[in-house]
Every structure is written in structure tokens, then in C-alpha cells.
Amino acid sequence: MWSRGVILLLTLAAAALAFDRDAAKEKLTDFRIRSQNLHVDELEGELEKLEHSFDKLSAPLEKSEVDRLRARVLRIQPDQCGTYKVSCGGDNPECVHNLLVCDGVNDCSNAHDEDPFVCSLDVVRVGSTFTGVTHWSSCKEAHDHTTVITITASYRSKYFGPRAWVRATVTNELSEDPRDYKQSSYNAKGYFVFASRKLVLIPDGDAPDRFSTSCAFHFGDYDHADCRVLQEGSGNECAKLRVNRS
């Protein structure tokens, strides 16, 4: 009888020990999980602080800056479309004729040829003024001087959207010395090609010199352009200037 009692006590003690061990194991596992969660939360908090600190180092890029960077990349890439055609952009190479750009019909699969930015009239808006310093390399001897191009009239036919016809005044400030200020102005007419973002101006008959001006707005906006002064007839490049909207 006594031995049975001892055996019973030992059995109960073993069961209690096993129970306590399982409970302790469960508590230990729960503690480890909570510790890991706290560690993860702490890491996420530190990461968020680092992100805020990084954001303070430099302001986010404006859309205009992104457009200018994209335009620079496009300028250094080789032309895959050939004469009179332009790229539709995007991941898949696709070209369309420049006469199909801004004609009211989506010819690019991504509709890039009818994009509102591509077809914007911002450059040829009446009153638009662009200023730069002209540097002559041939055709005539002249010092560098300021040139101002002002759009005075524009017209875009609803039947022919790829071009806008313009008139402008071109003023060359030949001397900026107020004691001996000289300037030369003439009227010009021409057109703006939406596909290539190119403005072409040809002097009227009363212009003192027969030089045309061709400006390429290839900086991703309509406020900056590289212009070339060309000799009428031969097309030889006589001067260059980079203009900014003023």
C-alpha cells in the first residue's frame, strides 16, 4: 500500500513537471516572438527616420527637371527613325512621319503623337519672347550681341495641325552701351513644327540681312532652345545662340 502511494506521488510530480515545462516553453516562445516583433518595430522606426533624413538632403525632382533629363538622353541617342520621321517613345521602337503628329489621329500605339504637351502652342503664343546671345562664326564680322525674338502673330489651321504659321520680330542689340546704343530689328515669318519642336523664321523683304533662324526646343520644355542663324540660299551656318524665355 505504501509503495503504491509513493508511485502515485512520483507520477503526479512527473506530470506536474511536464506541465510546468510545457508552460515554460510556451512562455519562452511567446517572449521570443514579442521580442522579435519589438525589434522589427524598432528597425522600421529607424528606417523611417533614415528615409526622412534622406528626403531632407535633396528636394524631390520636379516634372520639368525629369523632362529635361529625358530630353538630354534622347539627344545623345542615335536617330532610329530617319529623315522626316520621329520616335513615338516608349519601350517599343516606333516611328511616324512628322506630318502625322498633332493631326488629330493617334498614329503611335501609345498616342504620343497627339500628346497635349507635344501639340502645345506655348512656343508660338503671341507675346512669347526669347532672348539669347548670338555668336557669329562666319558670313559676317560681328561682335557677340543680344538677340530678342518676339512672336507677334500665329495661326494653326484645324485642317493641318502638324504646323503652326507665325510672324515675329527679331531685334539685334548691337551695342549695350547706353551712350552709343544701336539695334537692328526686322520682321520675319515662318512656322513651328510640332513633331521636331522646331521654330523656323525667314526675314521679310525689308530685312537688312538675309539670314534665317532655326530654333530647336529640345530641352524637354518650351522655354529653352538652341538656335542657328543660317545664310539664306546656301543654308550655311553663320551663328549660334541659346535662347531662354524672357
Side-chain angles (χ1 to χ4, degrees):
M1 184 72 180
W2 179 84
S3 60
R4 288 183 178 178
V6 172
I7 293 173
L8 180 60
L9 289 173
L10 291 174
T11 302
L12 291 173
L17 182 61
F19 175 78
D20 292 339
R21 182 177 298 169
D22 290 340
K25 186 177 181 180
E26 183 177 349
K27 288 183 178 180
L28 179 60
T29 301
D30 182 62
F31 173 76
R32 287 175 176 173
I33 291 175
R34 284 189 288 110
S35 297
Q36 290 177 355
N37 288 338
L38 289 173
H39 185 59
V40 170
D41 291 341
E42 183 180 355
L43 288 176
E44 288 180 346
E46 292 297 327
L47 180 60
E48 186 175 354
K49 290 180 181 178
L50 287 174
E51 289 177 346
H52 286 308
S53 299
F54 182 77
D55 290 339
K56 291 179 181 179
L57 292 177
S58 61
L61 289 176
E62 299 289 340
K63 182 180 182 302
S64 58
E65 295 177 348
V66 175
D67 291 337
R68 283 196 291 271
L69 289 173
R70 184 179 292 112
R72 289 182 63 182
V73 172
L74 291 175
R75 289 205 307 275
I76 64 177
Q77 288 180 340
D79 184 9
Q80 303 292 339
C81 294
T83 308
Y84 305 121
K85 290 186 177 182
V86 293
S87 171
C88 291
D91 297 329
N92 299 320
E94 188 178 5
C95 302
V96 297
H97 198 283
N98 62 29
L99 291 178
L100 300 178
V101 176
C102 303
D103 65 344
V105 179
N106 292 335
D107 296 289
C108 292
S109 58
N110 59 2
H112 177 72
D113 58 310
E114 301 300 321
D115 184 274
F117 177 77
V118 174
C119 302
S120 172
L121 287 165
D122 197 31
V123 170
V124 295
R125 187 177 67 245
V126 174
S128 293
T129 301
F130 303 95
T131 305
V133 176
T134 300
H135 173 72
W136 292 86
S137 57
S138 62
C139 303
K140 64 181 293 186
E141 291 201 13
H143 297 292
D144 293 356
H145 59 77
T146 300
T147 297
V148 181
I149 301 172
T150 303
I151 305 298
T152 57
S154 65
Y155 171 73
R156 185 181 188 183
S157 171
K158 63 180 180 179
Y159 303 108
F160 189 64
R163 302 283 189 276
W165 312 103
V166 301
R167 295 196 67 86
T169 298
V170 180
T171 301
N172 294 311
E173 299 177 354
L174 303 178
S175 173
E176 297 183 359
D177 187 343
R179 297 168 299 178
D180 185 28
Y181 181 76
K182 295 178 181 179
Q183 72 173 27
S184 171
S185 297
Y186 62 89
N187 296 320
K189 57 187 176 183
Y191 54 89
F192 181 73
V193 183
F194 291 93
S196 58
R197 301 180 188 177
K198 182 175 292 185
L199 175 67
V200 177
L201 297 174
I202 302 170
D204 282 348
D206 58 348
D209 296 306
R210 306 307 301 175
F211 297 116
S212 60
T213 304
S214 176
C215 297
F217 289 81
H218 54 192
F219 290 97
D221 58 32
Y222 290 122
D223 298 324
H224 308 82
D226 278 334
C227 301
R228 302 163 62 219
V229 179
L230 308 174
Q231 190 171 40
E232 194 174 35
S234 67
N236 293 332
E237 182 181 293
C238 303
K240 287 183 178 182
L241 66 155
R242 177 166 294 180
V243 298
N244 302 316
R245 186 184 291 272
S246 56

